[in-house]
Amino acid sequence: MSQYNAPLNDMNFILFDTFKVQEFWQENAHLSESIDVDTAMAILAESAKVTEEAIAPFSRAADEEGVKFDSGDVTTPASYKDSYNVVAEGGWIGLAGNPEFGGMGMPKSITAMHEEMMCSADLAFALYPGLTAGACLAINAHASEELKELYLPNMYSGQWTGSMCLTEAHAGTDLGLIKTKAVPNDCGSYDITGSKIFISGGEHDLTENIIHLVLAKLPDAPEGSRGISLFLVPKINVDAQGNLQEPNAVSCGSIEHKMGIHTSATCVINFDGAKGYLVGEVNKGLAAMFTMMNYERLLVGLQGLGAAERSYQNAKLYAMDRGQGKGVERMTDKDCDPIVVHPDVRRMLLNMRAMNEAARAFGTYVSIQLDVAKFSDDKEQAKLADAKAQLLTPIAKAFVTDTSLEGCIAGQQVLGGHGYVREWGQEQLVRDCRITQIYEGTNGIQALDLMGRKVAMDKGATLNSIIDEIKAFASDNNSVNASLMSELNKAADLLKETADTVLAEAATDKNAIGAASVDFLHLAGYVLYAYMWAKMVVAAESLEGNEALAESKKLTANYYFARLLPRIHSLKAQIESGAELLYTFSAEQV
Amino acid sequence: MSQYNAPLNDMNFILFDTFKVQEFWQENAHLSESIDVDTAMAILAESAKVTEEAIAPFSRAADEEGVKFDSGDVTTPASYKDSYNVVAEGGWIGLAGNPEFGGMGMPKSITAMHEEMMCSADLAFALYPGLTAGACLAINAHASEELKELYLPNMYSGQWTGSMCLTEAHAGTDLGLIKTKAVPNDCGSYDITGSKIFISGGEHDLTENIIHLVLAKLPDAPEGSRGISLFLVPKINVDAQGNLQEPNAVSCGSIEHKMGIHTSATCVINFDGAKGYLVGEVNKGLAAMFTMMNYERLLVGLQGLGAAERSYQNAKLYAMDRGQGKGVERMTDKDCDPIVVHPDVRRMLLNMRAMNEAARAFGTYVSIQLDVAKFSDDKEQAKLADAKAQLLTPIAKAFVTDTSLEGCIAGQQVLGGHGYVREWGQEQLVRDCRITQIYEGTNGIQALDLMGRKVAMDKGATLNSIIDEIKAFASDNNSVNASLMSELNKAADLLKETADTVLAEAATDKNAIGAASVDFLHLAGYVLYAYMWAKMVVAAESLEGNEALAESKKLTANYYFARLLPRIHSLKAQIESGAELLYTFSAEQV
């Protein structure tokens, strides 16, 4: 695989020119002391260095090596220890962590960029620090002070990693079915017994300890999802000073053999009366997990983007170098031109870049909602931002990963046969990216969450506030690019119209939401990406000192509106076919 | 992976009820003696048995085992020898072969069904007999009688396999750049020297000999693609009686490590002054290869379909079995229903089935054109059929494989995390299917072939004849389903309108064809699939003795028109954005 070059220019443009995140930082008491533009740029530049030099060069060989399982022990690739130490020692795992316990307290808009770079460098590697940071979020939000003091500093520092133990063999999407038991014991803790599957980083050799967050049920718990509690279960028990004690009754039964992310250990983890500590309230485990879910799901979207960005970079390099055929306008006087001269190769590359840059902007837009919800002192503003983040998160997870897979496939296609051969790395990106559509709630579940909970439950109010924001933006910036703003306005109307149609159908058909959901999520995604491109065009208009970037943004916005946004028309028609059609078939007939 | 069940009912419905292939067989002197409905059904039933029992059960384990390379030798999976012997001894490799030399002379409409079944059972395995049959086609069409007599019988019988040696490291799509040399020697043959890459089945341990068809240039050959000749180069030399002699100067330098088709040996083959025999005329090698290209490209489409059909079957079984969540209307009284109850799962399965059955019908439609072109005594009819086959083939290759990959991804998604784990086989189908979009000419090249050669070169005449055929069919069958036929008619108009737009643009912009090509190929594909569904609806209307199938066809046709055909609207808009847009960017800016 070729060298990875972190897209710092684009990141800085999106953060500081397009969204002007520094304005919120400056006016906010929590953030103004810890972050400003210079600090942020320095952090991102350092992140670029770490990911480009200490992680990306090893991702191809690491995939071939994979993780090995032997009698309960998991061995990661040889290069991973050094890479992990660089990440841990750089403090990157605690980048967003609570400063009280050793975290750096950075806003999501910054950590999201870091996460994208990590995933471009090596998606599977990025899961180890990424899941640790996620576990810390849940612990910080819900655990007792005692647990926080004991565990957070060593997790932020990377001395210990974290894992999330949710899924059981018979309970994936439907967590209400889990059977893992938690029985209170004499020490005030719980004995956890059960078997979990698909546990990323459930066992490995990167750190001396692993802190599992485990969903389990108390003996007298209510049926279904209302009876789930959350527990912290260390692999190795820890005394009050954080010293390692005897091993806990936690073991790795096996690891999965998967399509991709070969270096991420996906484990069966068995708890045989393991000592666990309650996190949050009894029977409120699912809610506790959900507080971190938006962050995790946004991270998964960024994983997809990371893969698609790397794929674009490889494909672009190849297209500039590989000679085959001649262009209508010649690029060289040789017997063939670089394939970037051909229109269809351009189409593939431009599709990828237009989607990637929109995804990066959209990730920032969602991050900003999360930051405002978390840091703003204005409760109304925070509440609205939280509602927006809730609605946008499933789109950031599912739309970004669905279209990122499409991007990775295009990036592979640009290389022809070489894209199918492992040494070039393009096929690895397809295999790695593919998991992002499945885990942390399949993209079908994300779509149900979007339409069923986020859109339908407030009767479209939050969605409409976003649509209003888009329409106001289009109207305010009409002078910048009238035709583009007019298209944006129409696209926003189409989104509203379609949402209204589905909500009306849902009043009489309870399957209406599910039938429309995935297409609707994509429709919303394309409209929001159009909004992102419109924002970037406006920022480009007043950008100083980087004419090449400004021109690229304007051209690419036009490209997006002409060649990608039209997909909304088909999606609308598909949605309007309704739910009843799906049930003209019996189960056997499907 | 679950058991494969060959879709014989659907195949018989498509062949004998929808297209009534037996009518052409009966009226044709060449075919009426060798094939009738009963014989054809018996052949397909036997093919089902062979693929279900002797191939499909081993595909998962074989993928894990892969092919091994050691000092020039390639070892295939242990199970492959037995599977191969069953296929060879059953005469399946010569199914379409010339009866003069031991082939069975079956029409393509029958062999296409066999090929689909082979590829559902194991796409990578199917390449060994599939490429042999392809090589036989070229030999039969262009080689001397002497070469035919010497090689065809042993290839049809499967005693020897064949390979196609086209690509070189610097020459993939652009074969005019090849450097392999052919120097005439004293024996009337040629000494072939050069190195070929990406040679499927270039070396293996299934047979005692391998017959390579090699593109090379004579010392005085014209530049570019007009100077390419075709040679037959056996791995082991053969005397006039077909007895093996000393090894030829042919060696396997290495094999590729690929995303999928792990059991197909993709070889670097080195020719070091190897003895080769001219096939066809000097400098007409590319044309000789092209005579078999339509068959090969259709086969690749069927490979995609084969994978997507297997993926559908696995996903359907899983969806009927896996309990998770509850349906709006309950299917069981347990604490969860099978996931087939959920609308989005239905959407995924129905998308797959609607596309697969249309692909099967479309493969038959194209096969019929090939059969009429080959067997008809009516020269006008044969010529028109040939022109149609030429135009439809790139669609059968690229549209079928692009949408089959989409199907395989959906089939993997239905299984959630289990779809990502190797043991279930769904991810293998994605990896295997992915190559079909790349080899035998990438799908981008297919689209250029469609628009640039097949549509533009006769100014749309052949395309218009197909559009007229569709419109006439819609009009003739209005009484069967007026709304569906009206939609079909509109879709045909939209296809014509879009083609006209691009052809008009192409008059002033030479990049217009390339810029529109992939989207246009997809647009044509969706319209042709609509035609296939309309044909199946009409056949279902008068089908006797199988009400379940008739009902399924009618429901699925409605589904296709409502949920899949609308994609044409976005494609049209994307095409209309034109070529100029792609060249507003410099090469660096892409």
Side-chain angles (χ1 to χ4, degrees):
Chain A
M1 204 168 337
S2 55
Q3 177 58 41
Y4 167 61
N5 293 301
L8 282 181
N9 274 344
D10 196 46
M11 291 175 166
N12 288 331
F13 170 77
I14 287 170
L15 286 168
F16 307 118
D17 298 299
T18 307
F19 289 100
K20 298 188 170 46
V21 290
Q22 65 275 29
E23 292 178 1
F24 176 68
W25 297 350
Q26 281 155 13
E27 73 198 21
N28 183 276
H30 308 284
L31 290 171
S32 59
E33 282 181 24
S34 57
I35 182 104
D36 57 23
V37 173
D38 287 345
T39 312
M41 282 189 174
I43 289 172
L44 295 182
E46 184 61 24
S47 170
K49 192 160 172 274
V50 165
T51 51
E52 287 172 356
E53 294 173 11
I55 304 173
F58 311 107
S59 62
R60 182 77 277 282
D63 176 76
E64 292 295 328
E65 204 177 335
V67 278
K68 308 266 189 303
F69 177 81
D70 183 16
S71 317
D73 291 330
V74 171
T75 311
T76 57
S79 64
Y80 270 29
K81 280 83 180 168
D82 286 345
S83 301
Y84 183 82
N85 288 338
V86 170
V87 170
E89 284 160 19
W92 295 102
I93 300 168
L95 193 62
N98 186 344
E100 258 184 81
F101 304 104
M104 285 172 65
M106 286 297 118
K108 187 68 196 169
S109 50
I110 294 305
T111 61
M113 296 297 185
H114 167 67
E115 285 161 355
E116 181 202 318
M117 290 187 258
M118 288 287 288
C119 295
S120 281
D122 187 339
L123 198 161
F125 172 82
L127 287 175
Y128 294 101
L131 286 165
T132 304
C136 289
L137 269 174
I139 294 169
N140 185 57
H142 297 285
S144 65
E145 285 302 304
E146 202 185 336
L147 286 177
K148 287 196 224 180
E149 279 166 22
L150 198 48
Y151 289 96
L152 285 180
N154 282 339
M155 293 175 77
Y156 287 147
S157 73
Q159 196 175 339
W160 304 339
T161 63
S163 95
M164 320 285 171
C165 303
L166 285 68
T167 304
E168 299 179 9
H170 60 288
T173 294
D174 194 350
L175 286 170
L177 303 173
I178 64 165
K179 291 178 184 162
T180 296
K181 285 282 160 217
V183 181
N185 59 29
D186 297 340
C187 332
S189 60
Y190 293 79
D191 294 333
I192 311 289
T193 302
S195 185
K196 297 284 182 176
I197 67 165
F198 295 162
I199 309 308
S200 297
E203 177 57 35
H204 60 75
D205 58 351
L206 293 175
T207 54
E208 61 183 24
N209 204 2
I210 301 171
I211 311 306
H212 304 286
L213 290 183
V214 185
L215 291 182
K217 290 188 165 187
L218 291 177
D220 57 351
E223 288 283 298
S225 58
R226 275 173 233 166
I228 299 175
S229 304
L230 180 64
F231 299 90
L232 183 157
V233 185
K235 170 184 166 185
I236 313 285
N237 283 303
V238 166
D239 72 12
Q241 285 70 47
N243 301 308
L244 298 187
Q245 305 294 308
E246 77 292 350
N248 205 348
V250 179
S251 61
C252 176
S254 61
I255 60 173
E256 304 293 343
H257 301 96
K258 310 184 298 293
M259 180 184 199
I261 52 168
H262 287 163
T263 58
S264 169
T266 306
C267 306
V268 171
I269 299 289
N270 299 313
F271 300 93
D272 300 305
K275 197 180 280 187
Y277 307 89
L278 185 67
V279 175
E281 289 175 49
V282 161
N283 297 335
K284 297 279 171 67
L286 218 49
M289 290 303 287
F290 266 94
T291 57
M292 52 169 288
M293 208 64 102
N294 286 333
Y295 284 89
E296 286 296 307
R297 289 180 169 178
L298 174 56
L299 170 60
V300 176
L302 297 167
Q303 290 170 3
L305 169 58
E309 170 65 28
R310 185 96 184 254
S311 182
Y312 164 75
Q313 291 190 12
N314 292 339
K316 175 72 188 296
L317 261 176
Y318 186 87
M320 295 291 282
D321 179 62
R322 170 77 171 176
Q324 210 73 174
K326 294 170 186 169
V328 169
E329 287 194 29
R330 299 296 313 271
M331 259 181 85
T332 66
D333 53 6
K334 299 184 189 154
D335 56 358
C336 58
D337 287 324
I339 60 172
V340 71
V341 79
H342 302 302
D344 192 57
V345 173
R346 287 177 168 243
R347 180 190 63 86
M348 291 189 276
L349 291 170
L350 286 167
N351 277 1
M352 292 178 80
R353 194 165 59 67
M355 293 303 284
N356 288 350
E357 293 180 14
R360 186 171 297 126
F362 184 59
T364 304
Y365 180 60
V366 180
S367 297
I368 289 168
Q369 312 306 324
L370 290 169
D371 285 338
V372 171
K374 180 176 174 184
F375 292 107
S376 176
D377 297 315
D378 177 337
K379 283 196 179 168
E380 266 311 298
Q381 189 192 32
K383 198 180 151 194
L384 179 61
D386 182 61
K388 283 190 184 176
Q390 299 277 355
L391 186 139
L392 297 170
T393 298
I395 305 172
K397 196 275 187 184
F399 182 69
V400 175
T401 58
D402 281 350
T403 53
S404 290
L405 183 78
E406 197 187 326
C408 289
I409 289 170
Q412 183 184 23
Q413 194 73 16
V414 170
L415 274 74
H418 296 291
Y420 198 69
V421 169
R422 294 213 298 265
E423 67 178 295
W424 291 78
Q426 292 295 74
E427 63 84 39
Q428 180 184 342
L429 294 168
V430 173
R431 290 187 288 102
D432 287 356
C433 186
R434 184 68 184 89
I435 189 59
T436 64
Q437 301 172 287
I438 295 172
Y439 63 16
E440 290 289 333
T442 65
N443 285 1
I445 291 300
Q446 303 300 323
L448 272 180
D449 179 50
L450 171 68
M451 271 242 96
R453 282 184 219 224
K454 310 304 171 54
V455 173
M457 268 169 53
D458 70 1
K459 293 179 184 154
T462 306
L463 177 69
N464 287 340
S465 78
I466 294 169
I467 290 172
D468 290 344
E469 176 186 321
I470 296 174
K471 288 172 68 73
F473 182 85
S475 164
D476 292 349
N477 293 284
N478 192 54
S479 61
V480 175
N481 185 331
S483 77
L484 194 135
M485 295 302 161
S486 158
E487 289 301 314
L488 177 62
N489 188 60
K490 277 193 264 179
D493 285 339
L494 184 144
L495 177 61
K496 177 160 169 44
E497 199 184 310
T498 313
D500 289 347
T501 304
V502 178
L503 293 180
E505 188 193 352
T508 56
D509 187 340
K510 285 189 179 163
N511 284 313
I513 298 288
S517 54
V518 166
D519 287 333
F520 182 82
L521 180 138
H522 283 205
L523 171 55
Y526 283 110
V527 175
L528 285 158
Y529 275 25
Y531 181 33
M532 296 300 110
W533 273 114
K535 276 189 169 288
M536 288 191 276
V537 161
V538 170
E541 195 64 35
S542 54
L543 186 67
E544 280 167 21
N546 195 341
E547 277 174 37
L549 184 65
E551 194 196 354
S552 169
K553 287 290 170 186
K554 291 181 206 172
L555 290 172
T556 312
N558 289 340
Y559 182 88
Y560 178 85
F561 273 76
R563 282 206 86 112
L564 291 159
L565 184 58
R567 295 183 183 180
I568 60 177
H569 300 294
S570 299
L571 292 166
K572 178 167 184 279
Q574 290 163 214
I575 291 165
E576 287 171 353
S577 70
E580 211 183 312
L581 180 67
L582 295 164
Y583 291 88
T584 55
F585 300 83
S586 70
E588 289 71 24
Q589 281 177 320
V590 167
Chain B
M1 203 170 336
S2 56
Q3 178 57 44
Y4 167 61
N5 293 302
L8 282 181
N9 274 344
D10 196 46
M11 291 176 166
N12 288 331
F13 170 78
I14 287 171
L15 286 168
F16 307 118
D17 298 299
T18 307
F19 289 100
K20 298 191 170 46
V21 290
Q22 64 276 27
E23 293 177 2
F24 176 69
W25 298 349
Q26 282 156 13
E27 72 199 25
N28 184 277
H30 308 284
L31 290 170
S32 59
E33 281 181 24
S34 58
I35 183 101
D36 58 21
V37 173
D38 288 345
T39 312
M41 282 188 171
I43 289 173
L44 295 182
E46 185 60 25
S47 171
K49 192 161 172 271
V50 165
T51 51
E52 286 172 358
E53 294 173 12
I55 303 173
F58 311 106
S59 62
R60 181 78 276 284
D63 175 76
E64 291 295 328
E65 205 177 334
V67 278
K68 306 266 189 304
F69 177 81
D70 184 17
S71 318
D73 291 331
V74 171
T75 312
T76 57
S79 64
Y80 270 29
K81 281 80 178 169
D82 286 346
S83 301
Y84 183 82
N85 288 338
V86 170
V87 170
E89 284 160 18
W92 295 104
I93 301 168
L95 193 62
N98 186 345
E100 258 184 81
F101 304 103
M104 286 173 65
M106 286 297 118
K108 187 69 196 169
S109 51
I110 295 304
T111 61
M113 295 298 186
H114 167 66
E115 285 161 355
E116 182 202 319
M117 290 187 258
M118 289 286 288
C119 295
S120 281
D122 187 339
L123 198 160
F125 172 82
L127 288 176
Y128 294 101
L131 286 166
T132 305
C136 289
L137 270 174
I139 294 169
N140 185 57
H142 298 283
S144 64
E145 284 303 303
E146 200 185 335
L147 286 177
K148 287 194 222 178
E149 278 167 22
L150 196 50
Y151 290 96
L152 284 180
N154 282 339
M155 292 176 79
Y156 287 148
S157 73
Q159 197 174 334
W160 303 338
T161 61
S163 94
M164 319 285 172
C165 303
L166 286 67
T167 304
E168 299 179 11
H170 60 287
T173 294
D174 194 349
L175 287 169
L177 304 174
I178 65 165
K179 291 178 185 161
T180 297
K181 285 282 161 218
V183 181
N185 58 29
D186 297 339
C187 331
S189 60
Y190 294 78
D191 294 333
I192 311 288
T193 303
S195 185
K196 297 284 183 176
I197 67 166
F198 295 164
I199 308 309
S200 298
E203 177 56 36
H204 61 75
D205 58 352
L206 294 174
T207 53
E208 59 183 25
N209 204 2
I210 301 171
I211 312 306
H212 304 285
L213 290 183
V214 184
L215 292 183
K217 291 189 165 186
L218 291 178
D220 56 350
E223 289 283 298
S225 58
R226 276 172 233 167
I228 300 174
S229 304
L230 180 64
F231 298 89
L232 184 156
V233 185
K235 171 184 165 185
I236 314 284
N237 284 302
V238 166
D239 71 12
Q241 286 70 45
N243 301 308
L244 299 188
Q245 304 294 310
E246 77 291 350
N248 206 348
V250 179
S251 61
C252 176
S254 61
I255 61 173
E256 304 293 343
H257 301 97
K258 309 182 301 293
M259 180 186 200
I261 53 166
H262 286 164
T263 59
S264 169
T266 306
C267 305
V268 172
I269 299 289
N270 299 313
F271 300 93
D272 300 305
K275 197 180 281 186
Y277 307 90
L278 184 68
V279 175
E281 290 174 48
V282 162
N283 297 336
K284 296 280 171 66
L286 218 51
M289 291 303 287
F290 265 95
T291 59
M292 52 168 288
M293 208 64 103
N294 286 332
Y295 285 88
E296 285 297 306
R297 289 181 169 176
L298 173 57
L299 170 59
V300 176
L302 297 168
Q303 291 169 2
L305 168 59
E309 170 65 27
R310 185 97 185 252
S311 182
Y312 164 76
Q313 291 190 13
N314 292 339
K316 175 72 190 294
L317 262 176
Y318 186 88
M320 293 293 280
D321 180 62
R322 170 77 174 178
Q324 209 74 175
K326 293 171 186 170
V328 169
E329 286 194 29
R330 299 295 313 269
M331 258 180 84
T332 67
D333 54 4
K334 299 183 188 153
D335 56 359
C336 58
D337 287 324
I339 60 171
V340 72
V341 79
H342 302 302
D344 192 58
V345 173
R346 287 177 167 243
R347 179 188 64 85
M348 290 189 277
L349 291 170
L350 287 167
N351 277 0
M352 292 179 81
R353 195 165 58 68
M355 293 303 284
N356 288 351
E357 293 180 13
R360 187 171 297 125
F362 184 60
T364 305
Y365 180 61
V366 180
S367 298
I368 290 168
Q369 312 306 324
L370 290 168
D371 285 339
V372 172
K374 179 176 174 184
F375 293 107
S376 177
D377 297 314
D378 177 337
K379 283 195 180 169
E380 266 311 297
Q381 189 191 32
K383 198 180 149 193
L384 179 62
D386 182 61
K388 282 191 187 177
Q390 300 278 356
L391 186 139
L392 296 169
T393 298
I395 305 173
K397 196 276 186 181
F399 181 68
V400 175
T401 58
D402 281 350
T403 54
S404 289
L405 183 78
E406 197 187 326
C408 289
I409 288 171
Q412 183 184 22
Q413 194 73 16
V414 170
L415 273 75
H418 297 291
Y420 198 69
V421 170
R422 294 213 297 265
E423 69 179 292
W424 291 77
Q426 292 296 74
E427 64 83 39
Q428 181 184 343
L429 294 168
V430 173
R431 288 187 289 103
D432 287 356
C433 186
R434 184 68 184 91
I435 190 60
T436 64
Q437 302 172 286
I438 296 172
Y439 64 15
E440 290 290 332
T442 65
N443 284 1
I445 291 299
Q446 302 300 321
L448 273 181
D449 179 49
L450 171 67
M451 271 241 97
R453 284 185 217 224
K454 310 307 171 54
V455 173
M457 268 171 50
D458 70 359
K459 293 179 184 153
T462 306
L463 177 68
N464 287 340
S465 79
I466 294 170
I467 290 172
D468 290 345
E469 176 187 320
I470 297 174
K471 289 173 67 73
F473 182 87
S475 164
D476 292 348
N477 293 284
N478 192 53
S479 61
V480 176
N481 185 330
S483 76
L484 194 133
M485 295 301 161
S486 158
E487 289 301 315
L488 177 62
N489 189 60
K490 276 193 264 178
D493 285 339
L494 183 144
L495 177 61
K496 177 160 169 45
E497 200 184 310
T498 312
D500 290 346
T501 304
V502 178
L503 292 181
E505 189 194 352
T508 57
D509 187 340
K510 285 188 179 163
N511 284 313
I513 299 288
S517 55
V518 166
D519 287 334
F520 183 82
L521 180 139
H522 283 206
L523 170 55
Y526 282 111
V527 174
L528 285 159
Y529 275 26
Y531 180 35
M532 296 300 110
W533 273 113
K535 275 187 169 289
M536 289 192 275
V537 161
V538 171
E541 195 64 34
S542 55
L543 186 68
E544 279 168 19
N546 195 340
E547 278 174 37
L549 183 64
E551 194 195 354
S552 169
K553 288 290 170 185
K554 290 181 207 173
L555 290 172
T556 311
N558 289 339
Y559 181 88
Y560 178 85
F561 272 77
R563 282 207 85 115
L564 291 159
L565 184 58
R567 295 182 183 180
I568 59 177
H569 300 294
S570 299
L571 292 166
K572 179 168 184 278
Q574 289 162 215
I575 292 166
E576 288 172 352
S577 69
E580 210 183 313
L581 180 67
L582 295 163
Y583 291 87
T584 55
F585 299 83
S586 69
E588 289 70 25
Q589 281 178 321
V590 167

